[in-house]
Amino acid sequence: MRIILTVIALNLLFSGAATAQNRPGRLQGFVLDKKTSQRLPDVTIIISGTGKGTSTTPKGYFEIELPGGQYTVQARMMGYEAIEKKCNIIPDEKTSLFFELDPASIKTEEVSVVSSKYDEIKSKGYELQPGDLKNIPQFGEADPFRALFALPGVNSINDIGNQLYVRGGNFDETMVSLDGVPVYNTYHLGGIFSSINSDIISREKIYLSNYPLSSGGSLSGILDLTTKTGRSDEYRTAASLGLISSRAYVEGPLLKGTFTAAARRTYLDALNLISSRSIPYYFYDGYAKYTLPLDENNLLNASAFYSKDVLLLGFDSRNENVSPYWGNLLLNSQWTHLFNSMSSLNVKLYLSNFFMGSNTENSSVFFDNLISDLTLRADYELSLRDHELKAGAEYKVQKLSYAWSIGHSGLRDYINPPEEAFFDYAPNPYNYNASENTLNIFATDDIKLQENLFLRLGLRGSCLEKMKRFFPSFSAGIDFKPSGRLSLSLNYGRYYQFLYTIKENRPESIYAPFAVYFLSDSKSSTSSSDHYSAGINITGLPLETELDVEAYYKSRANLASSYNSYPRYRFEKGYAAGADVLLKKEKGTVTGWIGYSLGRSVKNGEEYTYYANYDRRHTVKILLSFQLSEKWKLSAFWTYATGTPYTDITGKYLGGYDERIGISDSYLSNWGSAIVWRPIDGAKNQRRTEDHHRLDLGITGSFIWGRFLVNPYLQVLNAYNNPNYVVINPNLQEGGGDDSVKFQNSFIIPTLGVGIEF
């Protein structure tokens, strides 16, 4: 009897377990492009060994009912490498899987780029896409500029600023281009954030040297930002809420075309709602783009970008509310005509404005600054059997006007003297007006000499109407692929720049939100550079890694420089030289890269040779991304850099300081103003700040809420709180010795937020 009862109990137990095992659970998830972070529709989801499967919706979502148990799930789509993952389905519960598909190594043609057979010979540059931005810990939110600091050859002069210093060049020597439109002073919050919202970017590519001559006007490199084109089959929306700002994005079909739109705003000025203190500053920006296919051979694009920063200084001595503002306005229109499968024409008309102003002309603070660039451009492309030809012309009308008068105000609490936020030793008050009309013509030819040998040739000519000068440029490059894993390259190019800033002699001015640009008015004030580079690329290394090495040399002439002695401003020769090394791994549980840069940036002064203030001899960058689980990813970025040059003092003297006009010098003692100690500077940039290093950490999650994709994040800048002193100020107190006061540039800065995609 006992045996019978035992058998019955076991049968009930196993039958109950079998029933539970056979009760269904649900498998749900999203499939994304690993590079672009775009959700992929129509991806085939296969449940191995069951004969079951499904496909993703237009928003990349899938869901399928399965009995409880262990399964192997595969995601497959043409043009991507298939991925398999294991999962455990629990009865009556939902299980989530996230797939990020790598594009397969097949060649396809894309609009507006060189055709597939010439992919190997496009000018050298590093490319980042939205999926890469997610793997780089950043300050507050993903930023297309700050992400570039993880690449070799791209540096900043401090931990807070967002300005790009490329291969020994100043920040004004790298052109920022948004869909081919140059953007001037592209920074929010005094240079901490870029004014370009990362939500609108589909690809960013930076040329560190030897960029194509179809572009032009920059001495060091070009950052080419390409915006997204809206989906034609569905609407997609996303929103993000962070400690510093909130963002919203939407795209989809509209009438007979497609659109994208994005907006962002900070709320630092509203912190007094939850605290007794607030930050008297805010910024916002917005972007919209509309794409309309007229027929199978004609396409229209129109876009607009607007950004604005406002500094709330409060009331001045005249009881007027002072709020200086600055920002950008871009209007861009383009018509593309396809003659046939081999040739096309692009005609573009754009306006790019940077503006700065004040809310009243009667206040003690007055600004009225404008940089205007109106350009008409045409590009013709022709694809032949062994040639990719491109020719074009553009007519550019540039106008610059500056006027300011800055009295005693709260602005001096941020920058003192505030006029030197524009350029070194800027006078107050100040007026400047200049304009130039420039005709640029160019032609390039990418030639396939053999199956493994390619040649690039380029010509460019710039005719400046008011200067009455013509500047010719030539470039050449050769790529040789002796094997499928090894590539070699040699490049030469001559480049000119017709705009310049004079912002190098005040390293303590970390914030430079509105640097003033000047137009070259003679050959001696037109900077030029000859770029030489040689590179090697090796793929298929152990652990699926790839090695990229490039050495470069840039001769440089007519570089705008400033001195503490007279004459204040000089145009000097110099050079930049070095090498960049990048070892990267893009597949597996652990991905990332290790970068190293050796660099030199030298100027030849009238009396001696010195290093530019943005010179760095050694830089090491390590970026790693760890897939902790199906839902969590940890990213770590560690960087080490040698110090930057600065000018030491050899002594000090008693001079005057007048707070009313913000001028310090010895002659003011006759005015009865305060007498203070003033420095006597030594030779320029003969000392260096300390080496610095820091660790940034970021953790991001991926969760499904209904059919929404939710991405919480936590970022920590400078996780171990290394101070990174970048400025050393002399002790100028009465009776003070030679001790210097160090300025701490970096702190632990945690930020968190959450993004939701609808």
Side-chain angles (χ1 to χ4, degrees), residues 544-716:
E544 297 184 276
T545 57
E546 177 181 344
L547 178 65
D548 191 87
V549 181
E550 187 169 60
Y552 64 90
Y553 178 85
K554 301 177 181 179
S555 65
R556 293 149 62 79
N558 299 328
L559 303 173
S561 306
S562 64
Y563 283 81
N564 290 331
S565 59
Y566 293 96
R568 291 290 198 195
Y569 307 114
R570 310 170 192 180
F571 292 90
E572 301 173 334
K573 294 182 179 180
Y575 72 87
D580 296 321
V581 181
L582 182 65
L583 179 67
K584 61 181 177 179
K585 181 179 185 294
E586 295 185 316
K587 297 181 180 179
T589 304
V590 180
T591 59
W593 60 68
I594 299 175
Y596 168 72
S597 296
L598 172 67
R600 269 285 171 263
S601 184
V602 175
K603 288 187 175 183
N604 299 319
E606 295 179 358
E607 301 176 359
Y608 52 86
T609 296
Y610 64 94
Y611 295 112
N613 68 307
Y614 37 83
D615 172 88
R616 287 197 188 277
R617 180 176 298 180
H618 303 288
T619 307
V620 179
K621 301 175 180 180
I622 301 176
L623 174 68
L624 296 176
S625 181
F626 305 87
Q627 190 70 50
L628 300 177
S629 67
E630 184 65 31
K631 297 180 180 180
W632 291 101
K633 179 182 290 186
L634 173 67
S635 298
F637 174 53
W638 184 82
T639 181
Y640 165 85
T642 53
T644 54
Y646 72 95
T647 302
D648 199 9
I649 69 167
T650 59
K652 47 193 171 181
Y653 66 95
L654 284 173
Y657 179 73
D658 193 314
E659 291 185 353
R660 296 169 299 172
I661 56 177
I663 296 179
S664 299
D665 216 334
S666 58
Y667 71 85
L668 287 174
S669 59
N670 297 326
W671 291 20
S673 57
I675 304 298
V676 297
W677 286 102
R678 302 298 299 155
I680 300 174
D681 293 304
K684 185 173 181 177
N685 289 355
Q686 299 303 302
R687 298 287 297 274
R688 282 187 181 270
T689 60
E690 299 174 6
D691 297 355
H692 87 216
H693 53 87
R694 80 168 195 267
L695 173 67
D696 301 338
L697 296 175
I699 185 168
T700 57
S702 297
F703 297 90
I704 299 174
W705 180 37
R707 292 200 174 188
F708 298 158
L709 180 59
V710 181
N711 299 118
Y713 63 86
L714 170 65
Q715 312 279 359
V716 181

Side-chain angles (χ1 to χ4, degrees), residues 45 57 75 86 100 165 218 287 441-442 525-526 532 596 611 730:
I45 307 298
T57 68
K86 297 184 181 298
E100 290 185 317
Y165 294 82
S218 60
Y287 174 82
I441 54 175
F442 57 87
S525 64
T526 301
Y532 306 84
Y596 168 72
Y611 295 112

Side-chain angles (χ1 to χ4, degrees), residues 403-466:
W404 62 74
S405 177
I406 308 172
H408 183 68
S409 70
L411 189 60
R412 299 185 185 278
D413 295 335
Y414 301 90
I415 305 172
N416 195 10
E419 57 271 14
E420 292 192 11
F422 300 110
F423 62 95
D424 292 342
Y425 315 110
N428 181 25
Y430 182 69
N431 285 277
Y432 172 84
N433 289 278
S435 63
E436 184 60 272
N437 302 329
T438 305
L439 175 63
N440 297 309
I441 54 175
F442 57 87
T444 63
D445 189 6
D446 296 341
I447 308 169
K448 181 179 180 181
L449 301 176
Q450 298 178 7
E451 288 298 322
N452 61 349
L453 185 62
F454 305 90
L455 176 66
R456 295 186 305 274
L457 298 174
L459 289 172
R460 183 182 180 89
S462 299
C463 182
L464 280 71
E465 181 179 330
K466 293 191 175 181

Side-chain angles (χ1 to χ4, degrees), residues 100-336:
E100 290 185 317
L101 301 187
D102 280 302
S105 56
I106 59 176
K107 302 295 184 182
T108 61
E109 293 195 4
E110 298 183 54
V111 177
S112 300
V113 300
V114 182
S115 63
S116 60
K117 63 184 177 181
Y118 293 102
D119 281 347
E120 298 89 344
I121 65 171
K122 290 186 292 184
S123 294
K124 174 71 175 178
Y126 293 120
E127 185 172 312
L128 295 176
Q129 295 182 0
D132 301 308
L133 299 183
K134 295 193 307 181
N135 296 330
I136 302 175
Q138 304 203 38
F139 175 36
E141 59 184 43
D143 190 294
F145 286 19
R146 192 170 293 275
L148 297 170
F149 294 140
L151 295 170
V154 183
N155 289 312
S156 65
I157 60 171
N158 56 72
D159 285 353
I160 297 178
N162 212 11
Q163 294 168 320
L164 302 174
Y165 294 82
V166 172
R167 284 188 174 175
N170 201 6
F171 71 90
D172 66 320
E173 296 175 18
T174 298
M175 178 190 296
V176 177
S177 170
L178 185 68
D179 286 334
V181 180
V183 191
Y184 305 98
N185 284 326
T186 55
Y187 303 99
H188 283 314
L189 195 55
I192 295 180
F193 295 103
S194 70
S195 58
I196 310 298
N197 188 343
S198 63
D199 289 341
I200 69 174
I201 302 301
S202 66
R203 187 199 70 163
E204 60 176 312
K205 185 169 185 177
I206 186 165
Y207 298 92
L208 305 182
S209 59
N210 297 100
Y211 61 84
L213 283 184
S214 53
S215 304
S218 60
L219 206 62
S220 290
I222 289 180
L223 173 57
D224 184 12
L225 301 171
T226 303
T227 61
K228 296 175 181 177
T229 299
R231 298 181 66 101
S232 60
D233 55 348
E234 57 148 359
Y235 293 98
R236 174 178 173 264
T237 58
S240 177
L241 176 65
L243 290 178
I244 298 175
S245 67
S246 293
R247 311 194 313 264
Y249 173 84
V250 61
E251 64 174 305
L254 179 64
L255 300 178
K256 296 183 179 181
T258 64
F259 80 98
T260 60
R264 174 176 56 164
R265 193 196 192 278
T266 62
Y267 27 76
L268 299 174
D269 56 312
L271 290 181
N272 59 348
L273 298 178
I274 58 176
S275 171
S276 60
R277 301 184 64 183
S278 64
I279 299 176
Y281 167 86
Y282 65 90
F283 71 75
Y284 60 90
D285 53 62
Y287 174 82
K289 179 180 179 180
Y290 184 65
T291 303
L292 177 64
L294 300 177
D295 54 44
E296 62 181 8
N297 295 321
N298 293 278
L299 181 71
L300 288 180
N301 276 293
S303 62
F305 170 78
Y306 183 79
S307 72
K308 189 174 182 180
D309 294 58
V310 179
L311 181 59
L312 307 170
L313 293 180
F315 292 90
D316 65 2
S317 58
R318 303 179 184 179
N319 201 33
E320 295 189 15
N321 193 7
V322 181
S323 298
Y325 59 85
W326 59 92
N328 294 93
L329 171 65
L330 272 68
L331 301 175
N332 184 20
S333 60
Q334 178 174 302
W335 167 56
T336 301

